[in-house]
């Protein structure tokens, strides 16, 4: 029997729509499988929620459905969102032989929404949803604009004058202060601009992009199709793996092309205050997320350099030296490879716990499947967002054994070298379960966004595994540095290793903890932990209310900062319009 995905999707959506419109909670819940997911991104509440199973979905809708006023559900007609059979392998999401998936649009109390669902057949006949994602797309009367006319006062005003006046207005009275002009901060600033939210970006470096230019580790592991910025596709002639400096220059160009208001080399003074009556911040200081420096007894007795990765200037100064690299994530792998290439006598990677290792070819294959050339990047981001993280984890569990088998040749030499592997987490789980540090800084503003995107716990293999296999990079596993002697490192297991230099690839502390020195405990204690997953599988503390009014956290690699910028902008717009009270 030939399945008609449009007929199946239309029939299911019609039933679901009727229940939502009439306020029939039990009927709406019955449209889901018993173990189905409902992912709500700012539709039923001004927050990001994932509900799993009939009981939780029912309890959630009982309190929110009537207020949301969901109506006018229609199937999407845009490419990549029309009903399809087995867009994702059915065996990855259920035991069913086939899945049907489709996008849809709808109206809600505050505006327009977008959604996506995955259906599976049930024994009793018909189809039910294993997952439904519903996302607020725009607030009525305050829709995102894409392109302006470009002619001003009947073509009598020059663009230079118009742009200067716009900048001056924002600089005098920004509604949002964004701290850090990395890809996360710039994506947010561009999104805010297109929702008419005046925002000022403060960057401590001399130039936009310097946070990339100053990196001294291997730069070529960033896939161009994954690293796009909002509104600006990368040139098709660019390399598949983007060099570090090319990304830096692209960020600088992006800020200019989007006419973003950015203050570089800006170092305001202490200390931020928040006026609850006016709802305004006065922020007075710049701070980089503090490097995570492990405690090592007798540190002053060590005769060689001890360098944190933030201050690493390349491997040449370490030629002929015995180097110990503390850490086993992406930065450590890049550092070890760089040190070996530049002639270090020996390189030893110190791994305290366990790490996930993914060959770069597998990452490329995954990203190309997620971001096919024929689909717009916004559509691809939307399809990735359509799957709740717990569902992704379930899908990963189903393929774990197969993946481990495929990676046997990669993993075997690592195990033989003593490297401890994480093999029960897929790529997305690692991204979401690690945490970041970041930048902060100040001027008077109503909303303060702290941006971060540093992560640990995994590395993409672009050559380090071969160095470990050959013995050029050795592994010391399950220990930390206990103390130092003049020319040696003593580990917590009592063993000793002669060393001439130590490089700390230990990332940065949590941006939330770093902010205590700026905002104080009374403010930070009101905020949620930042990064990682909550009990529902949603990101903690970022792109959602932090717990303190006017203070928002944003973080993530390119996909997360690009796809989530709209969510953050809509929340702040809702505050500005009085729709959201914090």
């Amino acid at each position: 029997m030939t399945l008609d995905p449009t007929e199946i999707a239309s029939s299911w959506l019609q039933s679901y729509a009727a229940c939502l419109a009439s306020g029939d909670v039990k009927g709406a819940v019955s449209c889901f499988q018993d173990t189905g997911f409902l992912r709500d991104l700012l539709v039923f509440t001004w927050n990001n929620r994932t509900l799993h199973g009939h009981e939780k979905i029912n309890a959630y809708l009982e309190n929110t459905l009537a207020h949301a006023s969901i109506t006018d559900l229609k199937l999407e007609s845009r490419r990549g969102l029309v009903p399809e059979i087995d867009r994702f392998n059915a065996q990855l999401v259920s035991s069913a032989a086939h899945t049907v998936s489709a996008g849809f649009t709808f109206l809600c109390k505050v505006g327009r929404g977008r959604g996506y669902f995955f259906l599976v057949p049930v024994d009793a006949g018909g189809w039910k949803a294993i997952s439904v994602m519903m996302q607020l797309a725009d607030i009525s009367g305050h829709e995102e604009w894409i392109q302006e006319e470009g002619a001003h006062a009947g073509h009598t005003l020059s663009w230079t004058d118009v742009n200067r006046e716009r900048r001056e207005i924002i600089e005098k009275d920004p509604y949002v202060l964004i701290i850090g002009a990395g890809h996360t901060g710039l994506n947010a600033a561009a999104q805010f601009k297109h929702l008419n939210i005046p925002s000022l970006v403060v960057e401590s470096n001399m130039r936009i992009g310097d946070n990339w230019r100053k990196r001294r580790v291997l730069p070529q592991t960033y896939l161009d199709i994954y690293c796009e910025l909002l509104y600006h596709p990368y040139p098709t002639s660019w390399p598949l793996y983007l060099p570090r400096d090319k990304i830096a220059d692209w960020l600088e160009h992006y800020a200019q092309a989007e006419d973003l208001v950015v203050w570089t080399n800006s170092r305001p003074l202490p200390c931020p205050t928040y006026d609850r009556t006016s709802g305004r911040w006065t922020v007075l200081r710049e701070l980089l997320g503090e490097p995570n420096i492990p405690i090592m007894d007798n540190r002053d007795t060590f005769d060689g350099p001890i360098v944190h990765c933030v201050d690493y200037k390349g491997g040449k100064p370490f030629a002929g030296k015995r180097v110990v690299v503390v850490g086993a994530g992406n930065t450590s792998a890049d550092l070890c490879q760089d040190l070996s290439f530049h002639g270090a006598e020996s390189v030893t990677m110190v791994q305290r716990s366990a790490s996930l290792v993914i060959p770069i070819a597998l990452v490329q294959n995954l990203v190309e499947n997620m971001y096919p050339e024929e689909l717009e990047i916004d559509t691809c981001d939307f399809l990735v967002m359509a799957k709740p993280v717990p569902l992704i984890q379930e899908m990963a569990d189903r393929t774990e054994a197969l993946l481990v088998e495929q990676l046997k040749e990669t993993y075997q030499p690592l195990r033989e070298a003593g490297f401890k592997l994480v093999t029960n987490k897929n790529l997305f789980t690692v991204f979401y379960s690690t945490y970041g540090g970041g930048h902060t800084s100040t001027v008077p503003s109503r909303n303060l966004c702290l941006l971060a995107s540093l992560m640990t716990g995994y590395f993409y293999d672009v050559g380090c595994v071969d160095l470990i296999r050959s013995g050029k990079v050795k592994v010391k596993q399950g220990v930390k540095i206990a103390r130092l002697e003049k020319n040696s490192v003593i580990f917590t297991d009592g063993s000793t290793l002669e060393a001439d230099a130590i490089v700390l690839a230990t990332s940065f502390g949590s941006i939330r903890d770093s902010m205590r020195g700026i905002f104080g405990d009374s403010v930070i204690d009101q905020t949620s932990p930042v990064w990682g997953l909550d009990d529902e599988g949603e990101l903690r503390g970022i792109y959602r209310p932090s717990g303190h009014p006017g203070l928002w956290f944003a973080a993530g690699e390119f996909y997360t900062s690009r796809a989530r910028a709209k969510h953050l902008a809509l929340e702040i717009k809702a505050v500005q319009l009085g729709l959201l009270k914090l």
Side-chain angles (χ1 to χ4, degrees):
M1 178 179 176
T2 302
L3 297 176
D4 183 338
T6 301
E7 180 180 342
I8 293 169
S10 179
S11 176
W12 180 89
L13 187 62
Q14 186 176 3
S15 299
Y16 186 57
C19 295
L20 294 182
S22 65
D24 181 1
V25 171
K26 290 185 178 180
V29 173
S30 71
C31 294
F32 290 78
Q33 257 196 344
D34 291 348
T35 57
F37 295 89
L38 171 62
R39 189 175 203 185
D40 169 30
L41 303 177
L42 311 182
V43 175
F44 296 95
T45 69
W46 287 106
N47 212 323
N48 306 319
R49 301 289 303 275
T50 293
L51 297 311
H52 186 197
H54 277 193
E55 184 177 350
K56 291 183 179 179
I57 296 174
N58 186 87
Y60 189 62
L61 295 182
E62 283 279 4
N63 294 321
T64 60
L65 179 55
H67 180 74
S69 301
I70 309 295
T71 61
D72 202 26
L73 282 75
K74 297 178 181 178
L75 287 176
E76 278 272 21
S77 59
R78 289 181 294 171
R79 188 174 189 179
L81 301 175
V82 297
E84 293 188 47
I85 296 175
D86 294 338
R87 165 171 281 281
F88 301 96
N89 189 327
Q91 298 304 318
L92 296 183
V93 296
S94 79
S95 58
H98 295 284
T99 61
V100 170
S101 58
F104 63 99
T105 61
F106 59 91
L107 300 178
C108 62
K109 184 174 182 178
V110 298
R112 180 181 63 88
R114 304 170 64 191
Y116 200 87
F117 56 80
F118 300 93
L119 307 179
V120 293
V122 294
D123 293 338
W127 295 72
K128 293 195 175 186
I130 194 166
S131 177
V132 179
M133 185 272 284
M134 299 179 69
Q135 173 188 115
L136 182 65
D138 279 304
I139 298 173
S140 295
H142 303 275
E143 289 79 7
E144 175 184 14
W145 60 269
I146 301 299
Q147 185 179 41
E148 63 177 326
E149 185 182 46
H152 308 282
H155 297 275
T156 61
L157 286 178
S158 72
W159 168 247
T160 300
D161 292 337
V162 171
N163 193 42
R164 182 181 64 250
E165 182 178 345
R166 289 177 177 178
R167 291 182 63 92
E168 288 174 352
I169 291 172
I170 290 174
E171 289 174 332
K172 288 179 181 178
D173 188 25
Y175 190 77
V176 179
L177 175 68
I178 300 175
I179 297 162
H183 63 272
T184 303
L186 296 179
N187 268 322
Q191 184 66 78
F192 293 169
K193 173 189 171 184
H194 286 264
L195 280 177
N196 297 315
I197 303 172
S199 61
L200 169 66
V201 185
V202 181
E203 169 58 49
S204 61
N205 284 307
M206 290 292 293
R207 291 174 60 189
I208 296 170
D210 276 354
N211 59 327
W212 282 85
R213 293 185 189 93
K214 292 179 179 180
R215 295 186 179 193
R216 299 299 178 183
V217 294
L218 298 183
Q220 70 272 27
T221 58
Y222 301 94
L223 285 159
D224 61 354
I225 54 177
Y226 194 66
C227 296
E228 286 193 12
L229 300 167
L230 288 169
Y231 312 111
H232 288 257
Y234 279 125
T236 57
S237 61
W238 276 24
L240 176 62
Y241 294 105
L242 291 175
R244 172 192 63 223
D245 292 341
K246 208 169 188 68
I247 295 177
D249 292 344
W250 180 250
L251 293 176
E252 190 169 48
H253 166 77
Y254 180 74
Q256 296 170 348
E258 276 294 313
D259 301 306
L260 304 180
V261 183
V262 182
W263 288 355
T264 57
N265 195 34
S266 183
R267 300 179 182 276
L269 300 172
C271 207
T273 59
Y274 183 74
D275 186 328
R276 290 181 177 272
T277 302
S278 65
R280 293 180 64 91
W281 284 98
T282 300
V283 190
L284 303 169
R285 184 181 175 185
E286 176 271 342
L287 178 72
L288 175 67
E290 298 296 334
N292 186 12
I293 307 295
I295 297 174
M296 296 174 286
D297 291 343
N298 299 333
R299 176 172 176 150
D300 293 341
T301 66
F302 189 68
D303 205 28
I306 302 175
V307 180
H308 190 271
C309 59
V310 73
D311 299 315
Y312 181 79
K313 305 301 182 185
K316 289 184 180 180
F318 299 92
K321 296 184 181 296
R322 300 164 296 181
V323 186
V324 173
V325 179
V326 181
N330 235 2
T331 300
S332 173
D334 286 351
L335 289 171
C336 288
Q337 193 167 342
D338 189 50
L339 289 162
S340 178
F341 176 80
H342 283 98
E345 179 182 325
S346 67
V347 179
T348 302
M349 176 189 291
V350 179
Q351 183 193 35
R352 184 186 64 179
S353 53
S355 306
L356 176 71
V357 178
I358 301 289
I360 192 62
L362 182 59
V363 177
Q364 179 180 337
N365 181 260
L366 172 65
V367 172
E368 288 176 345
N369 285 333
M370 292 163 50
Y371 290 84
E373 291 183 2
E374 66 270 17
L375 295 183
E376 294 181 358
I377 197 162
D378 174 70
T379 298
C380 296
D381 284 345
F382 180 72
L383 290 171
V384 174
M385 193 72 68
K387 294 186 293 295
V389 174
L391 179 59
I392 296 175
Q393 292 170 325
E394 288 185 12
M395 295 166 66
D397 290 342
R398 291 174 181 267
T399 59
E400 178 185 331
L402 177 61
L403 179 62
V404 172
E405 179 64 26
Q406 291 176 340
L407 296 178
K408 183 183 296 184
E409 292 186 6
T410 297
Y411 286 168
Q412 187 60 32
L414 290 173
R415 289 194 175 98
E416 291 175 354
F419 191 95
K420 188 173 181 180
L421 287 157
V422 172
T423 58
N424 62 345
K425 292 183 178 180
N426 78 324
L427 189 60
F428 284 96
T429 304
V430 171
F431 277 143
Y432 284 128
S433 62
T434 53
Y435 65 88
H439 303 272
T440 181
S441 176
T442 84
V443 290
S445 179
R446 292 176 178 84
N447 292 275
L448 180 66
C449 295
L450 305 178
L451 290 285
S453 59
L454 300 171
M455 295 177 288
T456 58
Y458 69 97
F459 74 78
Y460 299 153
D461 177 40
V462 294
C464 190
V465 171
D466 284 341
L467 293 174
I468 293 174
R469 178 188 287 114
S470 68
K472 292 181 179 179
V473 172
K474 296 179 172 58
V475 177
K476 183 70 176 176
Q477 206 284 321
V479 296
K480 295 187 291 185
I481 295 177
R483 67 181 190 278
L484 302 176
E485 300 296 343
K486 183 176 181 180
N487 299 114
S488 62
V489 173
I490 294 88
F491 297 100
T492 50
D493 65 353
S495 60
T496 299
L497 180 67
E498 293 185 350
D500 302 308
I502 299 170
V503 180
L504 304 174
T506 47
S507 189
F508 293 81
S510 164
I511 185 175
R512 180 173 178 264
D513 291 336
S514 296
M515 292 306 100
R516 289 186 181 277
I518 292 290
F519 292 95
D521 291 341
S522 62
V523 170
I524 297 302
D525 285 347
Q526 296 177 51
T527 65
S528 163
V530 172
W531 208 240
L533 299 174
D534 64 18
D535 292 341
E536 295 178 347
E538 290 293 340
L539 291 171
R540 295 189 304 172
I542 54 177
Y543 304 104
R544 63 197 305 183
S546 71
H548 188 286
L551 179 60
W552 304 81
F553 292 90
E557 32 47 78
F558 280 83
Y559 153 71
T560 299
S561 65
R562 183 179 60 237
R564 293 278 189 168
K566 183 71 173 285
H567 303 169
L568 180 58
L570 287 170
E571 290 170 302
I572 291 176
K573 192 69 179 180
V575 173
Q576 187 182 37
L577 297 172
L579 299 173
L580 173 58
K581 306 292 185 181
L582 295 176

